[in-house]
Amino acid sequence: ENQYSKIFTVTITMRFFSYTFILAIAAVSLVTSIKADSKQDGKLWAACSSKQGEDDVAAVKKAIEKGANVNHQDEASGQTPLMGAVLRGKVNIVRHLLDIQADVTIGE
């Protein structure tokens, strides 16, 4: 082997490990953000499915600002925040969710 092929091999190997490291960091970041969003999805669902008479748009906005998925489906019921709010008569939350384009076509 000549000197150039050794340099080429070392360069390719270093790039491979650099890219692998970058992908690993990205994967960890993604998993972390998914877990954080899942917590916010729960907070959004809690605001939209609380008892009738509670219409806390501020809690909904806060959860969405922190990463909640406005179209997340509750694991137990299959309902979206919009469905939960409609079924519990939360007029202000429903208006807000419609204003921010919550998906009205998702079924349970």
Side-chain angles (χ1 to χ4, degrees):
E1 285 184 73
N2 66 29
Q3 180 181 0
Y4 294 114
S5 78
K6 287 181 183 179
I7 291 172
F8 179 75
T9 302
V10 169
T11 302
I12 295 298
T13 302
M14 288 175 56
R15 283 187 181 172
F16 172 76
F17 286 115
S18 295
Y19 293 142
T20 303
F21 182 71
I22 290 168
L23 287 174
I25 290 172
V28 168
S29 297
L30 180 60
V31 168
T32 303
S33 82
I34 289 171
K35 287 181 182 176
D37 290 349
S38 176
K39 181 178 178 181
Q40 295 307 318
D41 289 343
K43 289 182 178 185
L44 175 60
W45 175 248
C48 293
S49 65
S50 61
K51 65 182 180 179
Q52 288 184 336
E54 294 178 11
D55 199 2
D56 190 357
V57 177
V60 169
K61 288 180 179 180
K62 184 176 179 181
I64 293 169
E65 286 171 7
K66 290 188 173 191
N69 176 358
V70 71
N71 295 312
H72 174 78
Q73 289 183 273
D74 180 62
E75 290 180 23
S77 67
Q79 295 175 351
T80 64
L82 180 61
M83 290 176 199
V86 167
L87 291 172
R88 289 162 185 85
K90 299 176 184 302
V91 176
N92 295 321
I93 291 176
V94 170
R95 284 185 182 141
H96 178 68
L97 293 173
L98 292 173
D99 286 346
I100 62 170
Q101 307 297 312
D103 190 341
V104 298
T105 65
I106 298 172
E108 282 183 72

